Amino acid sequence: MVDLGGGGAIPFVAEFAAAYPRAAVLITSPGGDPASRAHSTDENLHLADFERACLAEALLFTELADWPRT
């Protein structure tokens, strides 16, 4: 047996979607690596991976701010 860990059960998303049905919901995961053992007792995140994820998210939001381009 191999314990990979995994997330995905985020309760507030359904409540948020019900309260704001026209809102778009984007959930990102800096700990997408199975070795991070997300939501397990020994969950971890390499800081370099987190730094790259934060940069990628900032770049994404920058691009989305310009969308749609005219």
Side-chain angles (χ1 to χ4, degrees), residues 30 44-54:
N44 67 77
L45 175 63
H46 295 284
L47 291 180
D49 291 344
F50 183 59
E51 181 179 14
R52 286 190 294 271
C54 290

Side-chain angles (χ1 to χ4, degrees), residues 23-63:
V25 179
L26 172 66
I27 300 173
T28 61
S29 174
D33 179 6
S36 70
R37 295 181 288 284
H39 305 295
S40 64
T41 56
D42 59 350
E43 177 177 21
N44 67 77
L45 175 63
H46 295 284
L47 291 180
D49 291 344
F50 183 59
E51 181 179 14
R52 286 190 294 271
C54 290
L55 175 60
E57 190 167 299
L59 293 171
L60 171 66
F61 288 147
T62 299
E63 288 292 318

